[in-house]
Amino acid sequence: MTVRKVSLDQIKYLKGKTKKSEVDDLTDKDINEAVLSDPDSVVPTEKELEEFGKPKERKHD
């Protein structure tokens, strides 16, 4: 994978290669299978999930 630096002005002119229709067609089962087959992915245990707790409310200015 190549990493290249771009300015904030250049970002708005970049086009991604993601096909929205392919992402929309993914099922939960497809996503879970992809996560479980990825050796770099970490699936938290139920105990780890319980430790997260609820997020704090943000103050809106």
Side-chain angles (χ1 to χ4, degrees):
M1 176 170 73
T2 303
V3 177
R4 81 178 190 192
K5 293 183 179 183
V6 294
S7 70
L8 289 175
D9 289 330
Q10 292 171 316
I11 288 175
K12 58 186 165 189
Y13 299 109
L14 295 177
K15 280 195 156 192
K17 296 179 182 178
T18 302
K19 294 181 183 173
K20 186 179 182 310
S21 61
E22 289 180 5
V23 174
D24 289 341
D25 290 342
L26 288 174
T27 65
D28 287 345
K29 181 181 176 187
D30 295 331
I31 295 168
N32 284 330
E33 287 174 359
V35 169
L36 294 173
S37 68
D38 182 350
D40 294 326
S41 177
V42 177
V43 180
T45 64
E46 289 297 321
K47 183 179 178 185
E48 291 171 327
L49 289 172
E50 289 173 7
E51 292 174 4
F52 280 109
K54 279 190 159 188
K56 294 179 182 177
E57 289 289 325
R58 287 187 174 184
K59 293 181 181 178
H60 299 283
D61 295 327

